Amino acid sequence: MEAQKFARNNMTENSNIPEERFKQWLAFAKFFLGTFTIAIITAIINHQIQTRELELKELEKLGNYIEHALEEKIGVRRRFSQYFATVTRSDKLRERWKEYNSLVEKEYQIIVEEKKEKEELVKKLQEDNLKGKSVGGELARVRSQIIQLEQEIKVEKQKYTPSQEVTVQAYWHKKGFTSQEAEEFRIKLERDGIPTAVMKHVNPEAPDSIFIGALVNAEDAQLILSSLPYEAKYIFPLTYPRAKGGDPTGLLVGVGYNSAHNKANRNKNNMPIPISKEQFNSLIEIGLSNTEFQLRLRKITSL
């Protein structure tokens, strides 16, 4: 009897061993899984916090350059979006920049194509002009449009401010370049950042001449000449004295000049020089560099 009781108790104790071990493993598994889960959740939260901090820092950095994103010129916006679509570390923000850059690129290509079409039109109008057809107004208008498009897509390393450089002196007449035309001329140039002074010329006859300073850059000169509402048949020499309408600093463009005005008081070095249509067109040729422009200007005024 005692033997049976001992055997029964012994079997019960032995049967409890696996259950105790199971409970121990279960407790360990709960601890391990709990710790592992907490670690994973903590890592995820930390990653989200770090990502958010990164996005906030990049957004803060972007705030310093936001004026570039709002810039009207497509060239500036294109370069700006290309930069952030490449260097932004936040995946989420970088994808958004790529989407924005894609939209800007489409707009950029539209302007490039429009510029090409107008350049082809200029070539055709130049041919018509050489044949004697009256296309001067249309030619000037299209050239002015091309310059505007070039400024749209252009990106300069350092922003150039014409108002600190080139200035224009415009004289209006009773005919050929009226006060109203001179005012429209001034408004257009000052909209492009070129200060323009408008004055009445004592000679009522129509103007036929221009003056271009020795240091005037190609971009400003072409913008001014392309907007000229009358045909320039003469150009005054680079050495033309200030008192007569010249500029020793080389940064003035004079329009509304008359080749016959005060002719008797000029010496041979200050006489206006004839400029042909071909020579005039050579100064407003699309894509002309400053160096080439100055070379052509000196060649024409040294005749």
Side-chain angles (χ1 to χ4, degrees), residues 17 29 31 35 55 68 88 118 124 142 178 216 247 253 294:
I17 291 176
F31 172 78
T35 303
E55 290 179 351
H68 298 302
T88 300
K118 291 188 181 299
K124 182 179 182 302
V142 177
T178 65
V216 174
D247 179 30
V253 175
Q294 294 296 338

Side-chain angles (χ1 to χ4, degrees), residues 187-202:
I187 292 172
K188 182 180 186 308
L189 294 183
E190 293 197 340
R191 190 185 299 125
D192 292 312
I194 303 177
T196 303
V198 174
M199 295 158 282
K200 181 181 180 181
H201 202 291
V202 296

Side-chain angles (χ1 to χ4, degrees), residues 285-296:
E285 182 180 320
I286 301 301
L288 202 62
S289 67
N290 285 332
T291 301
E292 182 60 29
F293 174 81
Q294 294 296 338
L295 288 173
R296 295 184 184 187

Side-chain angles (χ1 to χ4, degrees), residues 229-295:
Y230 66 89
E231 183 181 351
K233 297 180 179 179
Y234 296 90
I235 183 169
F236 283 92
L238 300 176
T239 55
Y240 201 50
R242 183 193 294 274
K244 297 183 181 297
D247 179 30
T249 68
L251 295 172
L252 175 73
V253 175
V255 302
Y257 288 21
N258 187 288
S259 61
H261 177 67
N262 206 24
K263 188 175 181 179
N265 296 324
R266 296 196 196 115
N267 60 47
K268 62 178 182 180
N269 295 324
N270 296 329
M271 297 298 289
I273 301 164
I275 179 172
S276 66
K277 289 183 179 180
E278 291 81 358
Q279 289 173 324
F280 184 88
N281 289 339
S282 73
L283 293 177
I284 55 178
E285 182 180 320
I286 301 301
L288 202 62
S289 67
N290 285 332
T291 301
E292 182 60 29
F293 174 81
Q294 294 296 338
L295 288 173

Side-chain angles (χ1 to χ4, degrees), residues 177-234:
F177 186 40
T178 65
S179 60
Q180 182 178 346
E181 290 174 324
E183 184 61 18
E184 292 173 354
F185 182 75
R186 181 192 66 80
I187 292 172
K188 182 180 186 308
L189 294 183
E190 293 197 340
R191 190 185 299 125
D192 292 312
I194 303 177
T196 303
V198 174
M199 295 158 282
K200 181 181 180 181
H201 202 291
V202 296
N203 189 331
E205 296 301 316
D208 60 359
S209 308
I210 55 175
F211 169 81
I212 304 174
L215 299 180
V216 174
N217 66 81
E219 182 179 349
D220 284 341
Q222 291 182 332
L223 183 62
I224 296 164
L225 296 178
S226 295
S227 304
L228 204 62
Y230 66 89
E231 183 181 351
K233 297 180 179 179
Y234 296 90

